[in-house]
Amino acid sequence: MQISFSLAEEPDQITAEKGRKLFAGESLFVKGVVAMSGLPEADRMEVCFAGRSNVGKSTLINALTGTKGLARASNTPGRTQEINYFTQGPELYLVDLPGYGYANAPLSVVEKWQKLLKRYLSGRQTLRRAFVLIDSRHGVKDVDEEIMSLLDSSAVTFQCVMTKADKVKIKDRDRVMEQVRTALARHPAAYPEIVLTSSEKGDGIATLRSIISGLE
């Protein structure tokens, strides 16, 4: 059966309020992790965010938490080589994975990232879902395919989040969405709903909060 990968619907009032409450608590940076031994205690649910350079990952995390500057985007792509942990109240970890797709990163650095990601994705029992961020202007690139394949092999369900939806015309976005749906259909770990967001406009933020709150 062909999966359609429809757009996630806006939450009803009750579901939206549950998501709002989850993200109403304080958001704090915990630590940057460079080895599995450095991971914080697995004492709560966590979700992780993956995306290539300049996809808007830090901006999305800041929009979700309502905390400006919580996740900081580096001016130098590839500089962030850590798994960054943030608490969202007492119930949730938000995990910012190292960026990928950096043409200037040394091969040894890329291999180190890949090993750490594989170990994290396959060995973190409290990880409920990965969110793979795709730029609405550009669609799925080869480097996105690589992370999706890694999630497939790690048996981690991932959901596609389209970023910067306000930066593209609707007719162009529809063309990109078709390309994204075709790409997702190749990955058994892909969750069959896509979240369309604009961190700048606030579009899709309540929807994504509600999805995360529903994973408990």
Side-chain angles (χ1 to χ4, degrees):
M1 183 178 68
Q2 184 71 28
I3 299 175
S4 63
F5 292 100
S6 59
L7 289 178
E9 295 182 358
E10 291 187 11
D12 58 35
Q13 187 173 358
I14 294 174
T15 308
E17 179 61 12
K18 183 181 178 184
R20 188 199 66 78
K21 284 183 176 179
L22 177 63
F23 282 88
E26 190 175 20
S27 309
L28 296 171
F29 173 71
V30 179
K31 64 189 305 189
V33 178
V34 295
M36 288 294 288
S37 60
L39 292 178
E41 185 178 354
D43 59 356
R44 68 196 72 186
M45 178 181 82
E46 59 191 66
V47 295
C48 67
F49 299 85
R52 66 180 185 269
S53 174
N54 298 323
V55 75
K57 186 154 51 74
S58 296
T59 307
L60 180 70
I61 292 172
N62 293 339
L64 277 172
T65 61
T67 307
K68 187 176 181 180
L70 179 69
R72 293 180 174 86
S74 171
N75 291 327
T76 304
R79 179 170 291 172
T80 303
Q81 301 171 21
E82 302 174 335
I83 295 176
N84 289 312
Y85 265 80
F86 304 91
T87 55
Q88 178 53 54
E91 305 173 32
L92 176 67
Y93 279 131
L94 301 175
V95 185
D96 186 2
L97 297 182
Y100 56 85
Y102 304 115
N104 296 326
L107 182 59
S108 60
V109 172
V110 175
E111 290 177 346
K112 182 180 179 181
W113 290 347
Q114 289 176 339
K115 286 180 181 178
L116 179 58
L117 286 175
K118 286 179 181 178
R119 289 174 182 172
Y120 167 74
L121 292 172
S122 61
R124 194 66 169 172
Q125 295 180 340
T126 47
L127 178 62
R128 292 289 182 268
R129 185 168 298 175
F131 293 97
V132 176
L133 277 55
I134 302 295
D135 193 317
S136 294
R137 300 169 298 179
H138 307 306
V140 174
K141 302 291 187 182
D142 289 344
V143 289
D144 299 313
E145 291 279 4
E146 291 176 15
I147 193 71
M148 291 176 187
S149 295
L150 177 57
L151 289 159
D152 287 337
S153 62
S154 302
V156 174
T157 299
F158 71 86
Q159 187 161 5
C160 175
V161 177
M162 305 293 293
T163 63
K164 306 183 182 181
D166 59 306
K167 305 295 186 184
V168 61
K169 296 178 181 178
I170 292 179
K171 63 180 181 65
D172 294 327
R173 190 181 73 197
D174 290 344
R175 173 181 51 79
V176 172
M177 289 294 297
E178 188 59 34
Q179 185 261 359
V180 170
R181 289 185 172 106
T182 300
L184 291 175
R186 296 192 288 266
H187 296 279
Y191 189 79
E193 281 187 343
I194 298 170
V195 187
L196 192 64
T197 68
S198 164
S199 297
E200 187 174 309
K201 301 288 188 181
D203 298 342
I205 300 302
T207 301
L208 188 52
R209 286 173 176 167
S210 297
I211 289 170
I212 294 172
S213 69
L215 296 174
E216 296 175 299

